[in-house]
Amino acid sequence: MTNTMRKSLVVLMSVSTILSAGGAYASTDSSAVPTANAPIVITQAANQAIAIQVSGQALSENGFQNVGYEPMLPLRVIAEKLGYTLVWNQESLSVDLNNGPVFTTVQTGLDRYAINKMYTALGAAPVLVDNKMYVPASFISKVLHGSVVTEGNSVSITDKEQKKVQKTGAITAIHNDGKYQSIHIQGTGPDGIVLNVGEETVYQMLDGTKLSFSDLHIGLTVVAEHSIISTMSLPPQTPTYKITVLDDKLQADLLGTAGAIEEVRSSDDGHTSFLIKGTGLTEGSPSEVVLQVTDETSFIDKDGAEVDKSTIIKDTKVIGFYDPTLTKSLPPIGKAVKVLVQASE
């Protein structure tokens, strides 16, 4: 037998092994599966079936083990048991997965997994076999936040997305970019944390009055209930389940400026004002502004706790939130509503 004949026999035997697995892969969508034009990926070394349990329940579908690589697991059945909904995109041969504030996309043949607006490579791309998609086991743990334990020819998966934590802080930015909505609290730029929200996120006042995402604005102090899991980015990002506004009322037209105190002024009648020089938080917010302190002005730290206004000295880093009525002077003068004291040089 020639070398060419031997190689052909190995390929045929491997293909036969995969196609005889009968139901070993979970379809990406029972009502919208790839057409005959979609790539059918056959791996010669895929000769070892992997049994799967999710939350203690054995699945009828199996995964498979590529020699030298991690187990490849059926996407749909596992993701749905972890609480995700899936939508197949025929044009791009990709699948959108959504679980409340968690949204990600996987695309056939592309080792790039979107999570929290960032991309992660896992060393193996999603593939289609017999019009059904499977992904590396690390996708379940690193992207879908499942706990994956591999023992021999079996994989056990549990949902570790159970623990939740709370964080308090003032909103410094709100982003609404199509599918993605998020809120930045406790700082600006790389500071603080970004709360990724979704259709299942609950918004409310402290008394339980229901709100919506559109009701939120910069300057509000909120308590966020979010996942214990967050990205390693700066700032970190995390799925968020509930946002509670601690302020007595909403004031959607607030402006904000983040920067350092250039000057603290005290008038003869005992009133205090200070000059902030930095960056405006919204399109209408100036980069330099003089804020007058009133009896209603609140001073908080990044965690929302009250601080003494005497901490406001030259070079203190602050984020000032103020009424939109400003003088036409340069820099403009306005009334401080809330001041987030970050740090002193």
Side-chain angles (χ1 to χ4, degrees), residues 170-345:
I171 298 175
T172 59
I174 297 176
H175 301 284
N176 188 0
D177 181 18
K179 299 177 183 177
Y180 302 104
Q181 295 178 326
S182 64
I183 299 161
H184 196 160
I185 67 171
Q186 294 193 334
T188 60
D191 298 325
I193 186 170
V194 172
L195 308 171
N196 291 319
V197 299
E199 293 181 357
E200 297 182 9
T201 305
V202 175
Y203 309 93
Q204 63 181 28
M205 299 291 289
L206 190 58
D207 62 3
T209 302
K210 298 300 181 183
L211 300 174
S212 65
F213 177 79
S214 61
D215 292 321
L216 303 181
H217 59 79
I218 65 168
L220 288 176
T221 302
V222 301
V223 175
E225 183 179 286
H226 62 85
S227 169
I228 196 172
I229 299 170
S230 62
T231 65
M232 299 298 291
S233 58
L234 291 176
Q237 301 181 34
T238 183
T240 305
Y241 308 102
K242 181 187 292 186
I243 293 178
T244 302
V245 175
L246 301 183
D247 297 72
D248 294 332
K249 62 180 181 179
L250 306 177
Q251 188 177 342
D253 56 355
L254 282 184
L255 302 179
T257 300
I261 299 295
E262 289 286 305
E263 181 182 359
V264 179
R265 306 168 181 172
S266 296
S267 62
D268 295 337
D269 56 6
H271 290 91
T272 301
S273 62
F274 48 84
L275 170 63
I276 303 176
K277 186 175 182 179
T279 303
L281 301 184
T282 64
E283 184 176 349
S285 303
S287 59
E288 292 186 51
V289 63
V290 174
L291 296 184
Q292 298 173 331
V293 177
T294 69
D295 293 338
E296 287 74 36
T297 304
S298 61
F299 294 83
I300 61 173
D301 63 15
K302 72 178 185 66
D303 297 311
E306 292 186 9
V307 298
D308 193 319
K309 66 179 181 181
S310 64
T311 58
I312 299 293
I313 59 175
K314 181 176 171 56
D315 295 329
T316 301
K317 292 182 179 179
V318 301
I319 301 175
F321 303 100
Y322 45 94
D323 189 276
T325 303
L326 301 173
T327 66
K328 295 182 179 181
S329 58
L330 290 177
I333 301 172
K335 293 183 178 179
V337 173
K338 185 180 296 183
V339 179
L340 168 59
V341 182
Q342 296 183 295
S344 297
E345 294 293 344

Side-chain angles (χ1 to χ4, degrees), residues 13 30 76 95 103 115 133 151 161-162 164 228 285:
M13 291 177 64
S30 59
R76 173 169 289 276
V95 178
F103 179 87
I115 184 68
M133 179 178 281
E151 295 183 0
E161 187 69 17
Q162 299 292 333
K164 300 176 183 178
I228 196 172
S285 303

